């Protein structure tokens, strides 16, 4: 019996019901769709360009975690995906390439965004300040290992910074992930992020502060102001309970009273010394750590 030709196999794909083809294509990532699937045939192109398929965009190239530059023009592809959403985008994740300019393009093009996730991106405080007023429906925000070259102040007498702008313009925010690389090498904590969260983000249910520089005062402010908080991740927050008695010790511990308060109030709690092995941004954290080590050697 003769084997079916490639032409016959291709025709079989084309003749599939549209909803099945759409389901198959939905299992591809945004990059695969934009660089490959959209060019297969007219039927696939029509389905790939349907705005309903671009309500959620996940732009990541896993090669970046192997420390190789992306083989794709990621910024250009991301803008194309945003255009295909026709302003209906509600959820976008961008890894390793987002800039203030791209953030502006996202928020200018789509005003109904509910979730933003940026990992290893070059977004600055100024970029966030400009974007915040255009995100009134935002419910989830993640900024993981962005601007890790120390653009955030370390000193306790520094003003809160610009995170509070997010809280004031995004009243529906329920989940915040603000993750950085922290090291015990720096003794001075900074409660700017914590105070901004405590004073402006009154509807938070989930908070992840991996590697933040908050101290006991910042943690107390968060606990006092967040009665709805269900989960709190404080792993690698080495500056909690940093005072004169602990100044010469790397193994900082939570004050027992503060620890008990966390345990009593928070259903899902991770403390500074808890294992990081299930941290979902571990690959990004490790990549940042290598860059930090390289910079420290100069």
């Amino acid at each position: 019996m003769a084997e079916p030709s490639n032409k016959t196999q291709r025709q079989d794909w084309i003749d599939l019901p549209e909803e099945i083809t759409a389901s198959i294509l939905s299992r591809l990532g945004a990059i695969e769709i934009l660089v490959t699937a959209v060019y297969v045939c007219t039927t696939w192109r029509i389905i790939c360009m349907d705005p309903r398929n671009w309500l959620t965009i996940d732009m990541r190239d896993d090669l970046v975690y192997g420390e190789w530059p992306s083989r794709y023009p990621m910024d250009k592809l991301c803008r194309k995906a945003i255009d295909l959403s026709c302003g209906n985008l509600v959820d976008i994740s961008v890894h390793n390439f987002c800039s203030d300019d791209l953030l502006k393009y996202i928020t200018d093009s789509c005003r109904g965004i509910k979730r933003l996730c940026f990992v290893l991106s070059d977004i600055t405080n100024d970029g966030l300040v400009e974007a915040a007023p255009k995100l009134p429906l935002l419910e989830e925000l993640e900024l993981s290992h962005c601007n890790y070259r120390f653009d955030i102040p370390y000193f306790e007498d520094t003003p809160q910074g610009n995170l509070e702008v997010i809280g004031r313009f995004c009243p529906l925010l329920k989940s915040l992930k603000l993750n950085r690389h922290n090291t015990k090498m720096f003794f001075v904590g900074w409660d700017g992020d914590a105070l901004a969260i405590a004073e402006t983000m009154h509807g938070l249910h989930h908070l992840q502060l991996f590697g933040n520089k908050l101290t006991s005062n910042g943690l107390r402010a968060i606990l006092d102001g967040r009665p709805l908080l269900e989960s709190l991740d404080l792993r690698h927050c080495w500056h909690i309970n940093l005072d004169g008695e602990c100044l010469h010790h790397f193994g900082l511990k939570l004050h027992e009273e503060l620890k008990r308060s966390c345990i009593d109030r928070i259903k899902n709690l991770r403390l500074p010394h808890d294992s990081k092995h299930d941290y979902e941004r571990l690959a990004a954290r490790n990549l940042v750590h290598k860059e930090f080590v390289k910079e420290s050697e100069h």
Side-chain angles (χ1 to χ4, degrees):
M1 182 175 178
E3 292 290 329
S5 66
N6 290 337
K7 182 176 181 181
T8 302
Q9 291 176 337
R10 182 172 178 272
Q11 190 65 42
D12 290 341
W13 280 101
I14 295 174
D15 290 340
L16 286 173
E18 183 175 318
E19 61 272 17
I20 294 179
T21 303
S23 178
I24 293 171
L25 292 176
S26 69
R27 289 161 172 75
L28 299 177
I31 298 174
E32 289 81 1
I33 291 175
L34 292 172
V35 303
T36 303
V38 73
Y39 299 109
V40 169
C41 63
T42 301
T43 300
W44 280 30
R45 181 174 179 81
I46 291 172
I47 294 173
C48 289
M49 299 188 72
D50 188 334
R52 293 174 296 180
N53 295 326
W54 296 97
L55 302 181
T56 297
I57 298 173
D58 189 348
M59 297 295 296
R60 74 177 77 190
D61 184 355
D62 289 337
L63 277 180
V64 300
Y65 296 120
E67 301 184 64
W68 292 96
S70 176
R71 65 198 128 165
Y72 304 116
M74 298 297 287
D75 187 279
K76 182 178 179 180
L77 289 176
C78 189
R79 291 171 191 256
K80 177 63 175 177
I82 293 165
D83 293 342
L84 288 172
S85 76
C86 295
N88 297 313
L89 178 66
V90 296
D91 181 339
I92 184 167
S93 299
V94 181
H95 292 231
N96 202 46
F97 67 94
C98 192
S99 62
D100 286 349
D101 190 49
L102 180 56
L103 176 59
K104 183 178 187 304
Y105 192 82
I106 292 170
T107 53
D108 283 346
S109 302
C110 312
R111 296 303 179 97
I113 295 175
K114 295 184 178 180
R115 179 179 178 274
L116 281 174
C117 171
F118 300 110
V119 180
L120 290 172
S121 299
D122 292 325
I123 295 170
T124 68
N125 286 337
D126 289 343
L128 286 172
V129 167
E130 184 177 352
K134 296 176 282 187
L135 296 166
L137 302 181
L138 190 67
E139 297 179 3
E140 299 181 41
L141 175 64
E142 176 174 355
L143 299 170
S144 288
H145 306 288
C146 300
N147 287 323
Y148 55 85
R149 297 181 187 276
F150 312 124
D151 65 328
I152 298 297
Y154 293 110
F155 300 101
E156 192 66 40
D157 59 350
T158 303
Q160 292 179 18
N162 295 314
L163 185 62
E164 62 178 339
V165 177
I166 296 291
R168 299 195 187 284
F169 283 103
C170 306
L172 302 181
L173 196 65
K174 294 180 174 63
S175 176
L176 175 66
K177 296 182 178 182
L178 192 67
N179 303 318
R180 301 185 181 278
H181 171 69
N182 196 355
T183 173
K184 299 176 185 179
M185 193 181 301
F186 294 99
F187 291 108
V188 181
W190 185 65
D191 284 323
D193 292 336
L195 295 178
I197 291 167
E199 293 176 9
T200 66
M201 301 182 184
H202 304 294
L204 277 185
H205 287 71
H206 308 285
L207 178 60
Q208 186 176 61
L209 296 172
F210 190 103
N212 198 273
K213 295 185 180 295
L214 83 163
T215 69
S216 296
N217 291 333
L219 178 55
R220 286 193 181 92
I222 291 174
L223 293 176
D224 291 343
R226 303 281 69 75
L228 301 178
L229 205 57
E230 299 174 17
S231 66
L232 177 61
D233 190 342
L234 299 170
R235 283 176 290 180
H236 282 219
C237 293
W238 306 124
H239 300 274
I240 292 175
N241 204 40
L242 185 63
D243 56 31
E245 295 179 0
C246 300
L247 199 58
H248 300 292
H249 299 278
F250 285 125
L252 303 178
K253 297 181 179 179
L254 279 172
H255 186 279
E256 281 304 312
E257 180 183 351
L258 188 55
K259 181 177 179 179
R260 176 51 53 189
S261 181
C262 289
I263 293 173
D264 290 344
R265 298 188 191 189
I266 309 299
K267 186 183 303 182
N268 184 6
L269 176 67
R270 307 299 296 272
L271 297 175
H273 289 278
D274 286 350
S275 172
K276 66 179 184 294
H277 293 301
D278 63 343
Y279 175 50
E280 62 269 33
R281 303 302 178 202
L282 187 58
R285 183 261 179 198
N286 289 342
L287 187 59
V288 170
H289 178 67
K290 289 180 182 179
E291 290 297 323
F292 171 80
V293 170
K294 290 177 183 176
E295 285 193 350
S296 300
E297 291 174 349
H298 294 294

